[in-house]
């Protein structure tokens, strides 16, 4: 059994209430930090831990904290990014819904480390019931003296608010989130300046993911060194994984980084293997924005090494033969899945969610969606595959924020690893008119029609 840091108390009856959370050791990190540690010492423990941002980018959290401007004398802010909108990712919702005080505790301890006296939790508009849970938890914490003026007689003041967004995926990008929090349209800002220098209301600001902040109490209560002992290499600690698709046991799992993909996929402790007798076809390890991988690259890297649930192992081989851990949205497909339809579905999402600020993304995501729809609906042309490749390559790296990359990478990976499936759609439109065309006749049985080997 792997060590649990975030979900250790998740099944304690009543844990979402302040009384039960406090009885189970809640808010101990706030006491320890405010009574025995300086803000810089808290930051140093997070640095030692090697904790990396759990929202997708994987940037070291302690290092990010150290960048905040302390010399200007301007107010500082901590903003929690709870705008969890990546398709296939739902682990932050799970934390906030079932153990909200863990996030509140992490916000207080982290705000103290940053010298922030006004902090925010920015939550996606579709999570309204979770918004109410967090507001109730904040009210309980404030009534118990953990928020407000002179917390625990330490002289430290903190006000914490929840701000509900309007349901825009782009506001998961930290500068678009800040723009939205200021009451503006959620468009990403050009960087520099970075939020650590000029963020919310031009004040120094740190934006961290829910899971990242919720991990801080354990690190402060134990130590950064103890956290760094969990995991492997630069992938330290535990990670929440949102698992879905054709598996027996979908849900949210906390794993120690370094677990093999094979064990995570097939052991009864985790996903329990495929949900039916159908063979594994592909998987997306880190949410819809990361490259999809075919079955032969899931359990082993291109070099023949075991594929591990770490930042480094999942990206081994670059995008040619690897992917990314990303936000931990682990999606599994059996051989009845249509990669073209799946790619079109992702492209449709990114087109809808593009803020429109950058021309390559605004125009390119629309083209990707239209061409993929055409191929999936039996109207594809031979040149469409190369056209898709050309369009995605002109989006990637040419936008202010990473949404353009997130739209292009799934298309590129789908063509790279499943090009013959795209060719099949173009050459045999009559065979794919039925929406469930690969249910009765999986592609592995007809791929010989486009020159591939038949797999029965």
């Amino acid at each position: 059994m792997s060590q649990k840091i975030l979900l250790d108390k998740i099944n304690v009856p009543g844990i979402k209430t302040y009384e039960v959370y406090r009885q189970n050791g809640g808010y101990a990190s706030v006491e320890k930090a405010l009574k025995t540690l300086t803000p810089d010492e808290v930051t140093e423990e997070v640095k030692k831990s090697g904790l990396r941002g759990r929202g997708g980018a994987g940037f070291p959290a302690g290092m990010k904290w150290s960048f905040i401007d302390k010399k200007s004398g301007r107010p500082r802010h901590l903003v929690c990014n709870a705008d969890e909108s990546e398709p296939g990712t739902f682990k932050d919702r799970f934390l906030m819904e079932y153990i909200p005080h863990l996030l509140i505790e992490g916000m207080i301890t982290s705000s103290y480390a940053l010298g922030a006296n006004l902090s925010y939790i920015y939550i996606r508009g579709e999570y309204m019931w979770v918004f109410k849970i967090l507001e109730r938890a904040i009210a309980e914490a404030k009534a118990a003296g953990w928020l407000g003026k002179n917390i625990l007689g330490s002289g430290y003041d903190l006000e914490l608010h929840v701000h509900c967004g309007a349901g825009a995926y782009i506001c998961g990008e930290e500068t678009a989130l800040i723009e939205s929090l200021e009451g503006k349209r959620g468009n990403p800002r050009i960087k520099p300046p970075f939020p650590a220098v000029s963020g919310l209301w031009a004040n120094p600001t740190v934006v961290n993911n829910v899971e990242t902040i919720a991990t801080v109490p354990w690190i402060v209560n134990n130590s950064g060194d103890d956290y760094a002992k969990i995991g492997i290499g630069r992938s330290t600690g535990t990670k929440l994984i949102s698992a879905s698709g054709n598996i027996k046991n979908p849900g949210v799992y906390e794993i120690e980084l370094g677990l093999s993909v094979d064990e995570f996929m097939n052991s009864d402790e985790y996903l329990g293997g495929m949900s039916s007798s159908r063979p594994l076809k592909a998987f997306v390890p880190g949410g819809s924005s990361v490259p999809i991988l075919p079955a032969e690259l899931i359990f082993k890297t291109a070099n023949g090494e075991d594929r591990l649930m770490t930042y480094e192992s999942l990206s081994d081989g670059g995008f040619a033969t690897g992917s990314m851990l990303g936000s931990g949205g682990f999606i599994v497909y059996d051989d009845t899945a249509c990669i073209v339809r799946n790619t079109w579905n992702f492209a449709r999402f990114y087109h809808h969610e593009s803020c429109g600020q950058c021309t390559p993304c605004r125009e390119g995501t629309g083209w990707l969606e239209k061409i993929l729809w055409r191929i999936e609906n039996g109207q594809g042309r031979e040149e469409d595959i190369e056209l898709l490749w050309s369009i995605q390559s002109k989006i990637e790296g040419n936008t202010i924020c990473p949404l353009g990359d997130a739209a292009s990478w799934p298309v590129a990976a789908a063509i790279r690893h499943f090009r013959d499936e795209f060719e099949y759609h173009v050459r045999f439109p009559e065979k794919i008119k039925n929406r469930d065309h690969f249910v009765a006749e999986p592609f592995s049985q007809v791929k010989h029609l486009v020159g591939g080997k038949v797999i029965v």
Side-chain angles (χ1 to χ4, degrees):
M1 293 289 290
S2 64
Q3 184 166 352
K4 298 293 186 291
I5 288 174
L6 297 166
L7 304 186
D8 182 41
K9 303 288 197 312
I10 200 78
N11 293 318
V12 174
I15 195 65
K16 69 166 58 176
T17 65
Y18 170 75
E19 292 78 11
V20 176
Y21 182 75
R22 179 65 174 149
Q23 290 166 9
N24 283 270
Y27 292 97
S29 73
V30 180
E31 285 186 291
K32 182 177 180 180
L34 268 59
K35 292 181 177 180
T36 68
L37 299 172
T38 67
D40 287 344
E41 286 173 336
V42 176
T43 299
E44 189 59 31
E45 288 302 318
V46 176
K47 275 186 174 179
K48 288 179 182 177
S49 72
L51 173 66
R52 296 166 69 168
R54 301 304 198 218
F59 190 82
M63 186 180 296
K64 189 174 189 179
W65 289 10
S66 69
F67 293 156
I68 196 165
D69 179 12
K70 298 180 179 179
K71 297 178 181 178
S72 65
R74 296 183 65 87
R76 298 169 221 151
H77 306 287
L78 172 64
V79 179
C80 174
N81 186 346
D83 190 70
E84 184 178 49
S85 307
E86 180 94 347
T89 308
F90 44 90
K91 44 94 176 177
D92 290 343
R93 175 199 58 76
F94 189 79
L95 272 181
M96 293 186 288
E97 183 173 1
Y98 294 105
I99 188 164
H101 281 282
L102 180 60
L103 176 59
I104 308 306
E105 179 180 355
M107 286 295 294
I108 299 168
T109 305
S110 302
S111 295
Y112 170 72
L114 294 166
N117 301 114
L118 178 60
S119 295
Y120 292 88
I121 299 171
Y122 183 101
I123 190 167
R124 66 179 292 194
E126 292 87 346
Y127 282 171
M128 184 53 68
W129 83 99
V130 184
F131 171 81
K132 294 176 181 178
I133 290 171
L134 289 177
E135 284 209 313
R136 186 162 55 247
I138 288 173
E140 290 176 333
K142 189 164 188 176
W146 299 104
L147 289 166
K149 298 287 187 182
N150 194 25
I151 302 170
L152 300 183
S154 65
Y156 175 65
D157 306 335
L158 177 65
E159 293 296 332
L160 177 61
H161 303 283
V162 189
H163 180 90
C164 196
Y169 171 76
I170 190 63
C171 290
E173 195 279 331
E174 61 179 9
T175 61
L177 184 155
I178 290 170
E179 286 282 292
S180 177
L181 193 51
E182 291 179 352
K184 304 170 188 173
R185 178 185 173 92
N187 281 359
R189 297 175 179 175
I190 295 174
K191 297 182 282 190
F194 291 90
V197 175
S198 180
L200 185 62
W201 300 305
N203 294 329
T205 305
V206 166
V207 181
N208 277 137
N209 172 260
V210 170
E211 184 185 347
T212 310
I213 294 171
T215 304
V216 171
W218 192 96
I219 293 171
V220 172
N221 285 333
N222 296 273
S223 72
D225 289 333
D226 284 346
Y227 187 84
K229 292 175 184 176
I230 306 168
I232 181 172
R234 292 178 56 244
S235 293
T236 63
T238 66
K239 177 79 182 75
L240 294 182
I241 303 295
S242 313
S244 62
N246 301 122
I247 48 176
K248 287 181 181 176
N249 306 319
V252 176
Y253 294 86
E254 183 173 12
I255 65 166
E256 290 186 17
L257 289 171
L259 179 75
S260 73
V261 174
D262 190 4
E263 183 177 352
F264 182 61
M265 266 283 298
N266 296 311
S267 70
D268 292 334
E269 181 181 352
Y270 297 108
L271 307 190
M274 303 298 289
S275 57
S276 70
S277 59
R278 303 305 316 178
L280 173 64
K281 179 175 183 176
F283 93 135
V284 173
S288 65
S289 63
V290 310
I292 192 170
L293 288 179
E296 62 269 19
L297 291 173
I298 293 177
F299 300 129
K300 298 284 186 181
T301 68
N303 294 326
E305 300 174 354
D306 287 342
R307 183 83 75 180
L308 307 178
M309 295 293 287
T310 66
Y311 292 94
E312 292 75 26
S313 182
L314 285 170
S315 63
D316 183 270
F319 284 176
T321 58
S323 185
M324 298 169 66
L325 181 58
S327 60
F330 196 95
I331 310 171
V332 179
Y333 304 91
D334 66 21
D335 71 340
T336 64
C338 174
I339 301 301
V340 176
R341 186 191 307 128
N342 181 76
T343 308
W344 163 72
N345 204 28
F346 285 167
R348 184 166 59 112
F349 171 81
Y350 288 110
H351 178 212
H352 181 269
E353 297 297 335
S354 173
C355 76
Q357 187 175 192
C358 305
T359 302
C361 183
R362 181 183 66 246
E363 302 298 329
T365 54
W367 293 345
L368 291 177
E369 180 194 352
K370 290 174 184 176
I371 296 167
L372 285 163
W373 181 91
R374 191 162 70 205
I375 295 173
E376 172 60 13
N377 285 273
Q379 300 172 27
R381 303 171 302 192
E382 288 284 352
E383 60 268 26
D384 280 345
I385 301 172
E386 288 303 323
L387 184 57
L388 283 171
W389 186 267
S390 175
I391 293 170
Q392 66 80 26
S393 68
K394 289 176 173 58
I395 300 174
E396 182 184 5
N398 292 312
T399 55
I400 291 174
C401 86
L403 189 142
D405 296 342
S408 63
W409 291 342
V411 174
I415 295 173
R416 182 181 296 117
H417 298 300
F418 299 95
R419 188 185 182 101
D420 51 358
E421 195 164 316
F422 282 80
E423 292 173 352
Y424 177 78
H425 277 67
V426 171
R427 296 181 192 177
F428 303 97
E430 72 284 353
K431 287 183 171 289
I432 50 91
K433 286 181 180 178
N434 175 5
R435 187 181 185 280
D436 298 320
H437 45 268
F438 287 155
V439 174
E441 192 176 46
F443 181 66
S444 59
Q445 296 178 17
V446 295
K447 65 185 304 180
H448 63 285
L449 296 175
V450 288
K453 182 180 178 182
V454 181
I455 302 175
V456 180

